[in-house]
Amino acid sequence: MISQKAKYALRALTVLARAETGDPVQISDIADRQKIPKKFLEQILLDLKRAGFVESRRGKQGGYLLLRPASEITYGEVLRLIDGPIAPLPCLSLTAYRRCEDCDGENDCEIRHVFARVADETRAVLFSTTFADTLGEHAPVPAALERAN
């Protein structure tokens, strides 16, 4: 499961993606619209700012806005920043690989083979879905998920 912090980050970025280009949104507006505790949101936005997703503007008309277009920010990038590796097993992580302590061999591990497919499909969805994609009524459904239904 993704963390509450990641959900809040995704929701905050959705608000910023919906805003008019160049119009900053104040933290209090984001917090009120998305029911996010303001102090927690401040920390999240600072993380997003340090990572180059958002910028802040000071002053009476200040606030936060996307640094890159919504069409260039993926859910996967944000999840990886906030929650870390996107993998159900440490031996499947692309960014923080670790061999499983109880594993005799990755090539023979049935569990790894199944979850490798899960991880690949999950990453494919997350890293191909941008905030611009989700602004419409429905995000596109990947072919693999259509087949599963």
Side-chain angles (χ1 to χ4, degrees), residues 30-59:
I30 299 169
D32 290 344
R33 283 189 230 172
Q34 295 296 326
K35 297 176 180 48
I36 302 172
K38 190 176 171 189
K39 285 290 185 193
F40 196 24
L41 180 58
E42 289 172 356
Q43 294 171 3
I44 293 167
L45 288 170
L46 278 176
D47 288 343
L48 293 171
K49 182 179 176 180
R50 282 188 209 108
F53 292 106
V54 301
E55 65 177 313
S56 62
R57 293 198 182 148
R58 294 177 175 240

